[in-house]
C-alpha cells in the first residue's frame, strides 16, 4: 500500500512541477511566490505520505495530527501564495 | 511584477534585457544546483550520523570504584536460589520483608485476571507458548534465561572440528560470522574483544548453588564475544504491561538463544571453541555497547537504531580472535535520554531514575539495600529490585519502558525521518520531540486498545 502511495505521490509531484512551470510562463513569479508555492506543495505531499504511513501502521491519531500540523499549513501557504499572485495579476491587467 | 522590476524593464534595451535575463537564469540555476548539492551532502552526513560515530573508548566513564559483578548478586540468579535468600535475611528485611525466592515461586502461575486488560487465559497462553521456546532450548532448567551451562548454551564443545578454518583476513572472518548470524535471525551483530569487566565473577549456577570460576570451570579462555540481537514483535510489546507482552518477550528470548546456539556450533565447526550465552556469563548491555550495536539508555536497556530497546541480546564467547573488532558508537541516545524520561514516567514500579547519570545509585546508599547495584560507572542507575517486584505482582513481565520509548517504532519511513532529525537536533528539541511523540499517540502503556489491536494483528497473514 505504501508503495502505491509513493507512486501516486510521484505522479502528483510531476503534476505540481508542471503546474508551477506553466504558471511561471504565464505570470512573473518573485522569490516569495516560489517559496510559498514550493513549501506549500512539499508540506501537502509530506502530510499525505505521513498520514498514509501512520494509518497503515495502525496509529490513526498520528495520521490526523500529521494532516493538522503539516497539511493545514501547506494548504494555507499554497492558497495565500496563489491569491497574492492572482491579485497582482488583476492589478497589472 | 514589482516596482523595481518595472523600472528595470523600462531602462533596458532589448539586447541588454536578454543578456540580463539569461544571466539571472544562470544564477538561479546555479543557486538551485548549489542548494541541491548542499541538501545531498547534508543527507549523507545525517545518514552517517545515524549509523553512529565510532568511538575510541567505551562511552560510559568508569572509575576505580567499579568491581566486577558477582553473579550471586544478579537479581534473577538471586531470586532462583533459596540458599542465597536464606544467606541474606538482611536484604529481605530491608526490602519490605520481601523474600525474592519465595515470591518468585508463584510467578507466572497466578489466577487469570482481567481479559480486557490483557491478563486473561488467552494472554497467559501466548506468554507460556512464547517462553516454551527458550525454556525448551535451555533444557528446562529451573533458572530460566539465566541458566548456566544448559541446553544449547552448554559448555561442552560438541561438534568441534579438528581442523581450524583459515580466513584470508580478519575482515573476511567478521563478514562471514555476521552473514551466518543474519541467516540465523540476527538483526544486528558485532564482535568485540572479551572484556572481563562485563563478565560475572564468580559465576553462579542457581540450579545447583555452585560457585564457578572462569579459570577453573569454563572450558577455555575467551578472546572474543560475538554479540547478536533479535527484534521483538512491536504489536505485542505495545500491550505492556499486559501478559500479552510475554508472548513477544519469550519469543524474543527463544529467537536469541536459537541464534546464539547455532552461531556457537558454526564457530565450533570452524575449529574454534565457543559457548552460547543468554543472560548468564556476562552483562548484555555493556557488551552490546562495546560491539557498536547501540547505546545504554535510561531504561537500563540498550537502544539500537531502527528497533530502539525492542531487542533481545545474546552472546557467543569464543577463543577465535582473527576478526575485525567493532568500535562502540555514539548514536545520540544518551543525549536524547537526558531530556526524554518517558520510560521513567511510564514505569509502574518507579524503578527508573528521573535524575541524571551518576557514579552509583541515588535512591539509597544502604549496602543492604543496594546489594544488586553496580558502582563506579557513570550511567543511569535504576532500582532493579522494584522492577522485579512489579513483575511478580503483575504475574508477568512488564516491558512498559520498552513500549513507551520514542525509539521503539515499527519500520515506517516517517519514523526513520524522525530518527534522523533526533540525531542532529540539540537537547531542547529532544524535549519537544518527546511531547510530539505523546501528542501523536505513540508509546501509550496500560491501554486495553493495544491488546485488542494485537489480537487482530494476524488478520492479514
Ligand atoms: S520492565 Fe516495567 S517495571 Fe521494570 S523498569 Fe521497565 S517499566 Fe519499570
Ligand atoms: S524512553 Fe526516553 S529516556 Fe527512556 S530510554 Fe527511551 S529515549 Fe531514553
Amino acid at each position: 500500500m505504501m508503495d502505491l502511495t509513493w507512486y501516486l505521490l510521484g505522479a502528483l509531484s510531476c503534476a505540481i512541477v508542471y503546474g508551477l512551470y506553466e504558471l511561471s510562463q504565464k505570470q512573473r513569479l518573485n522569490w516569495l511566490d516560489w517559496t510559498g508555492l514550493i513549501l506549500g506543495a512539499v508540506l501537502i505531499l509530506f502530510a499525505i505520505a505521513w498520514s498514509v504511513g501512520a494509518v497503515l501502521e495502525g496509529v490513526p491519531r498520528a495520521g490526523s495530527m500529521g494532516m493538522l500540523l503539516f497539511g493545514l499549513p501547506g494548504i494555507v501557504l499554497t492558497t495565500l501564495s496563489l491569491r497574492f499572485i492572482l491579485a497582482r495579476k488583476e492589478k497589472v491587467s | 511584477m514589482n516596482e523595481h522590476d518595472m523600472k528595470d524593464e523600462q531602462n533596458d534595451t532589448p539586447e541588454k534585457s536578454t543578456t540580463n535575463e539569461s544571466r539571472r537564469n544562470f544564477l538561479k540555476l546555479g543557486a538551485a544546483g548549489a542548494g541541491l548539492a548542499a541538501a545531498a551532502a547534508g543527507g549523507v552526513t545525517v545518514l552517517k550520523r545515524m549509523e553512529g560515530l565510532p568511538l575510541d573508548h567505551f562511552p560510559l566513564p568508569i572509575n576505580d570504584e567499579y568491581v566486577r559483578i558477582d553473579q550471586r548478586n544478579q537479581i534473577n540468579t538471586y531470586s532462583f536460589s533459596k540458599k542465597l535468600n536464606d544467606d541474606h535475611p538482611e536484604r529481605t528485611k530491608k526490602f519490605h520483608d520481601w523474600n525474592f525466592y519465595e515470591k518468585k515461586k508463584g510467578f507466572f502461575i497466578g489466577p487469570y485476571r482481567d481479559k480486557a486488560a490483557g491478563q486473561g487465559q488467552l494472554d497467559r497462553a501466548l506468554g507460556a507458548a512464547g517462553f516454551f521456546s527458550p525454556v525448551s532450548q535451555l533444557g528446562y532448567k529451573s533458572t530460566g534465561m539465566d541458566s548456566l551451562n544448559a541446553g544449547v548454551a552448554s559448555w561442552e564443545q560438541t561438534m568441534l572440528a579438528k581442523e581450524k578454518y583459515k580466513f584470508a583476513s580478519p575482515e573476511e572472518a567478521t563478514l562471514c560470522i555476521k552473514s551466518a548470524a543474519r541467516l540465523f535471525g540476527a538483526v544486528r551483530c558485532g564482535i568485540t574483544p572479551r572484556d572481563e569487566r562485563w563478565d560475572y565473577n564468580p559465576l553462579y549456577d542457581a540450579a545447583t548453588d555452585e560457585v564457578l570460576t572462569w579459570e577453573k570451570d569454563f572450558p577455555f579462555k575467551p578472546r572474543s564475544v560475538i554479540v547478536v540481537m533479535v527484534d521483538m514483535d512491536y504489536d505485542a510489546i505495545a500491550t505492556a504491561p499486559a501478559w500479552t507482552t510475554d508472548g513477544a518477550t519469550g519469543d524474543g528470548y527463544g529467537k536469541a538463544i536459537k541464534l546464539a546456539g547455532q552461531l556457537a556450533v558454526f564457530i565450533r565447526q570452524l575449529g574454534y571453541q565457543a559457548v552460547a550465552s543468554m543472560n548468564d556469563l556476562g552483562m548484555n548491555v555493556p557488551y552490546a555497547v562495546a560491539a557498536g550495536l547501540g547505546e545504554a539508555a535510561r531504561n537500563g536497556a540498550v537502544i539500537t537504531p531502527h528497533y530502539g530497546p525492542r531487542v533481545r541480546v545474546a552472546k557467543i564467547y569464543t577463543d577465535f580472535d582473527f576478526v575485525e573488532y567493532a568500535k562502540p558508537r555514539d548514536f545520540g541516545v544518551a543525549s536524547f535520554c537526558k531530556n526524554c524520561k518517558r520510560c521513567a514516567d511510564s514505569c509502574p514500579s518507579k524503578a527508573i531514575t528521573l535524575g541524571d547519570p551518576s557514579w552509583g545509585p541515588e535512591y539509597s546508599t544502604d549496602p543492604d539495600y543496594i546489594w544488586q547495584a553496580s558502582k563506579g560507572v557513570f550511567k543511569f542507575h535504576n532500582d532493579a529490585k522494584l522492577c522485579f517486584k512489579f513483575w511478580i505482582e503483575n504475574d508477568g513481565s512488564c516491558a512498559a519502558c520498552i513500549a513507551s520509548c520514542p525509539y521503539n517504532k515499527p519500520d515506517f519511513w516517517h519514523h526513520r525521518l524522525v530518527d534522523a532529525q533526533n540525531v542532529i537536533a540539540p537537547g531542547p528539541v529532544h524535549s519537544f520531540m518527546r511531547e510530539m511523540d505523546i501528542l501523536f499517540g505513540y508509546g501509550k502503556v496500560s491501554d486495553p486498545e493495544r491488546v485488542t489491536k494485537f489480537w487482530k494483528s494476524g488478520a492479514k497473514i
Side-chain angles (χ1 to χ4, degrees):
Chain A
M1 187 65 185
M2 203 62 220
D3 295 344
L4 180 66
T5 311
W6 289 127
Y7 176 77
L8 293 176
L9 286 176
L12 195 58
S13 307
C14 291
I16 290 171
V17 169
Y18 181 71
L20 282 176
Y21 173 76
E22 283 290 302
L23 186 66
S24 68
Q25 294 302 300
K26 288 191 186 122
Q27 176 74 25
R28 187 158 202 155
L29 303 178
N30 61 32
W31 68 270
L32 210 60
D33 301 331
W34 279 112
T35 314
L37 289 172
I38 292 175
L39 202 63
V42 166
L43 277 173
I44 292 170
L45 292 172
F46 184 79
I48 297 172
W50 179 286
S51 302
V52 173
V55 169
L56 285 181
E57 69 168 324
V59 190
R61 182 167 154 186
S64 5
M65 289 304 296
M67 277 294 173
L68 192 74
L69 294 185
F70 311 124
L72 198 62
I75 292 170
V76 171
L77 213 55
T78 317
T79 316
L80 281 181
S81 305
L82 285 173
R83 279 198 69 113
F84 281 134
I85 294 165
L86 281 179
R88 256 199 339 262
K89 191 179 172 190
E90 274 162 23
K91 215 167 140 191
V92 169
S93 59
Chain B
M1 202 184 292
N2 62 30
E3 211 183 315
H4 178 78
D5 289 337
M6 283 171 76
K7 262 190 209 154
D8 272 357
E9 238 166 61
Q10 281 157 6
N11 293 341
D12 286 349
T13 59
E15 297 104 78
K16 217 171 163 190
S17 154
T18 322
T19 321
N20 281 347
E21 187 78 7
S22 46
R23 191 182 301 150
R24 257 204 302 272
N25 284 343
F26 179 74
L27 283 176
K28 273 183 200 162
L29 262 179
L36 268 178
V44 171
T45 312
V46 173
L47 281 178
K48 278 212 163 339
R49 188 69 185 79
M50 284 176 79
E51 283 168 19
L53 296 177
L55 303 169
D56 287 323
H57 55 274
F58 190 74
L60 303 177
I62 293 167
N63 69 18
D64 294 341
E65 249 196 305
Y66 181 76
V67 283
R68 288 171 72 182
I69 308 282
D70 183 331
Q71 196 169 2
R72 285 171 291 195
N73 294 340
Q74 200 274 338
I75 204 131
N76 282 318
T77 305
Y78 182 77
S79 72
F80 275 114
S81 165
K82 181 174 186 317
K83 181 180 181 304
L84 290 180
N85 281 262
D86 288 348
D87 286 352
H88 293 287
E90 77 288 355
R91 294 180 178 178
T92 306
K93 192 159 172 272
K94 277 283 152 66
F95 194 64
H96 322 285
D97 273 325
W98 210 81
N99 183 298
F100 283 78
Y101 175 76
E102 293 301 329
K103 297 285 182 185
K104 178 77 184 263
K105 280 202 286 192
F107 184 52
F108 219 64
I109 50 170
Y112 305 132
R113 298 182 188 177
D114 183 7
K115 183 174 182 281
Q119 293 195 317
Q121 186 172 2
L122 190 64
D123 311 282
R124 171 61 84 230
L126 190 76
F131 273 99
F132 177 71
S133 171
V135 169
S136 53
Q137 290 182 76
L138 289 171
Y140 299 99
K141 268 186 123 179
S142 59
T143 47
M145 302 311 108
D146 303 84
S147 292
L148 206 67
N149 190 8
V152 298
S154 163
W155 292 1
E156 266 178 53
Q157 295 302 294
T158 49
M159 298 171 75
L160 180 67
K162 285 202 179 72
E163 201 173 319
K164 287 191 182 337
Y165 182 82
K166 298 271 178 277
F167 286 99
S169 66
E171 290 78 20
E172 186 203 35
T174 296
L175 191 58
C176 289
I177 292 169
K178 287 172 108 172
S179 302
R182 188 199 62 77
L183 169 71
F184 298 137
V187 295
R188 295 259 182 277
C189 174
I191 310 175
T192 181
R194 187 256 179 136
D195 189 332
E196 290 186 2
R197 289 177 301 177
W198 319 136
D199 291 332
Y200 296 123
N201 187 43
L203 299 165
Y204 189 74
D205 189 342
T208 57
D209 281 316
E210 261 181 295
V211 178
L212 303 160
T213 67
W214 285 91
E215 295 73 26
K216 284 195 195 131
D217 302 295
F218 200 70
F220 58 91
K221 188 172 169 53
R223 296 193 184 283
S224 311
V225 176
I226 304 165
V227 189
V228 286
M229 279 178 173
V230 298
D231 62 331
M232 294 185 286
D233 183 69
Y234 178 82
D235 286 318
I237 290 290
T239 66
W243 292 351
T244 331
T245 49
D246 287 322
T249 312
D251 188 56
Y253 275 123
K255 289 194 290 187
I257 194 63
K258 170 202 130 333
L259 155 64
Q262 284 176 308
L263 220 45
V265 170
F266 174 67
I267 302 289
R268 294 204 291 267
Q269 281 284 289
L270 295 175
Y272 305 92
Q273 304 193 78
V275 165
S277 158
M278 193 66 243
N279 289 351
D280 58 316
L281 298 182
M283 292 181 282
N284 287 341
V285 172
Y287 264 125
V289 170
L293 303 185
E295 265 187 79
R298 180 185 292 275
N299 60 4
V302 59
I303 285 187
T304 195
H306 287 211
Y307 302 93
R310 193 172 32 89
V311 286
R312 284 284 151 210
V313 182
K315 318 172 282 298
I316 298 94
Y317 286 76
T318 174
D319 60 356
F320 181 56
D321 60 358
F322 188 63
V323 286
E324 185 190 30
Y325 289 124
K327 282 185 173 183
R329 284 172 179 263
D330 172 0
F331 299 96
V333 172
S335 133
F336 193 91
C337 278
K338 265 191 197 150
N339 296 291
C340 168
K341 306 181 184 181
R342 221 178 150 193
C343 51
D345 291 336
S346 309
C347 174
S349 67
K350 299 292 162 223
I352 301 176
T353 178
L354 279 159
D356 285 334
S358 56
W359 288 106
E362 291 188 322
Y363 48 85
S364 172
T365 46
D366 183 345
D368 291 339
Y369 187 89
I370 57 167
W371 51 269
Q372 92 298 339
S374 57
K375 275 191 271 177
V377 188
F378 197 71
K379 61 166 193 156
F380 294 107
H381 287 271
N382 301 326
D383 191 349
K385 300 185 298 302
L386 287 178
C387 170
F388 190 83
K389 185 168 178 279
F390 176 75
W391 286 25
I392 305 293
E393 287 161 0
N394 190 42
D395 204 17
S397 55
C398 166
C401 49
I402 299 177
S404 60
C405 178
Y407 281 97
N408 165 43
K409 291 287 188 305
D411 197 14
F412 276 90
W413 74 275
H414 49 303
H415 298 311
R416 301 294 81 85
L417 190 79
V418 173
D419 287 350
Q421 192 281 132
N422 284 343
V423 293
I424 47 168
V429 179
H430 294 158
S431 309
F432 173 75
M433 293 311 287
R434 169 209 141 101
E435 294 310 318
M436 284 294 112
D437 205 56
I438 298 171
L439 197 66
F440 275 62
Y442 292 107
K444 202 170 163 204
V445 297
S446 304
D447 181 2
E449 266 182 42
R450 308 282 159 137
V451 179
T452 313
K453 195 179 157 206
F454 169 78
W455 285 113
K456 289 180 180 165
S457 63
K460 287 203 185 100
I461 60 165

